[in-house]
């Protein structure tokens, strides 16, 4: 969905129709559930505030099972005109919430995909109490109880185990 920056009125623009946005994600398995975005002009800049709700397929970081993850992304971005003088732009640490538009056109679908991607967890879990895989046989401990005996500690790591024991007391 392309929005012309010059068409944003003084009182702003609210985008809350997921159907009107269309399919903002390159991966068709990602589903936009809903959104509420408010766009406001600040001279040439556009301030975008709101929330995006989506369902994204993920793989659990412990048991390696696929699951649909519900993503709720808070959006607070300043979109500025892309500089015409340079091919690349250096951003400072306080510019991390800045995006660019060009030719008076703001690509809202690209912004939605970026913000959803940034909201994904670094280590997704199918559930908080996921037991993961057995270290011996590799079985999913959420599905079956594993009767494998614990592996002996590698003697090369005994010094680290002693340190861990001392630090835990």
């Amino acid at each position: 969905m392309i929005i012309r920056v010059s068409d944003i009125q003084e009182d702003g623009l609210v985008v809350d129709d997921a159907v009107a946005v269309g399919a903002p994600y390159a991966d068709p398995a990602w589903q936009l559930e809903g959104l509420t975005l408010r766009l406001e002009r600040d001279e040439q800049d556009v301030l975008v505030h709101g929330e995006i709700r989506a369902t994204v397929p993920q793989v659990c970081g412990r048991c390696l099972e696929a699951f649909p993850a519900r993503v709720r992304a808070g959006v607070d971005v300043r979109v500025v005109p892309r500089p015409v003088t340079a091919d690349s732009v250096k951003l400072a640490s306080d510019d991390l919430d800045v995006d660019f538009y060009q030719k008076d056109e703001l690509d809202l679908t690209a912004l939605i995909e970026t913000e959803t991607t940034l909201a994904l967890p670094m280590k997704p879990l199918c559930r908080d109490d996921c037991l993961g895989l057995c270290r011996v046989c590799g079985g999913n401990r959420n599905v079956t109880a594993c009767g494998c005996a614990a592996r002996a500690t590698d003697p090369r790591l005994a010094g680290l185990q002693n340190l861990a024991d001392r630090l835990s007391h």
Side-chain angles (χ1 to χ4, degrees):
M1 172 180 227
I2 302 294
I3 295 179
R4 296 186 59 81
V5 173
S6 59
D7 291 344
I8 299 174
Q9 300 297 319
E10 184 126 348
D11 59 341
L13 172 69
V14 175
V15 178
D16 57 2
D17 186 5
V19 176
V21 172
Y25 304 115
D27 186 344
W30 290 33
Q31 297 296 317
L32 179 64
E33 302 295 330
L35 75 160
T36 304
L37 298 176
R38 178 161 181 77
L39 289 76
E40 299 172 345
R41 285 185 57 187
D42 181 19
E43 296 182 16
Q44 288 186 333
D45 298 356
V46 178
L47 305 173
V48 183
H49 305 284
E51 182 180 79
I52 301 167
R53 295 171 309 282
T55 301
V56 178
Q58 295 280 281
V59 175
C60 180
R62 289 184 188 159
C63 68
L64 304 179
E65 293 291 325
F67 71 99
R70 293 200 167 277
V71 177
R72 192 171 222 117
V75 179
D76 189 19
V77 177
R78 177 178 291 271
V79 186
V80 300
R82 182 173 297 282
V84 294
T85 58
D87 291 334
S88 63
V89 177
K90 290 187 178 182
L91 297 176
S93 61
D94 58 339
D95 292 332
L96 293 177
D97 292 330
V98 173
D99 203 352
F100 298 101
Y101 72 86
Q102 55 189 13
K103 298 180 184 174
D104 195 45
E105 295 180 339
L106 189 152
D107 186 0
L108 197 60
T109 55
L111 183 103
I112 291 170
E113 184 166 28
T114 300
E115 293 298 317
T116 304
T117 302
L118 290 172
L120 290 173
M122 292 183 72
K123 185 175 181 181
L125 296 177
C126 60
R127 60 182 200 237
D128 289 336
D129 62 342
C130 177
L131 299 173
L133 302 176
C134 172
R135 293 180 177 198
V136 177
C137 69
N140 186 343
R141 297 184 333 178
N142 296 316
V143 178
T144 60
C146 185
C148 296
R151 269 197 248 179
T153 305
D154 187 337
R156 296 173 291 178
L157 299 176
L160 289 176
Q161 183 62 47
N162 292 338
L163 178 63
D165 291 341
R166 283 186 295 188
L167 291 176
S168 66
H169 294 290

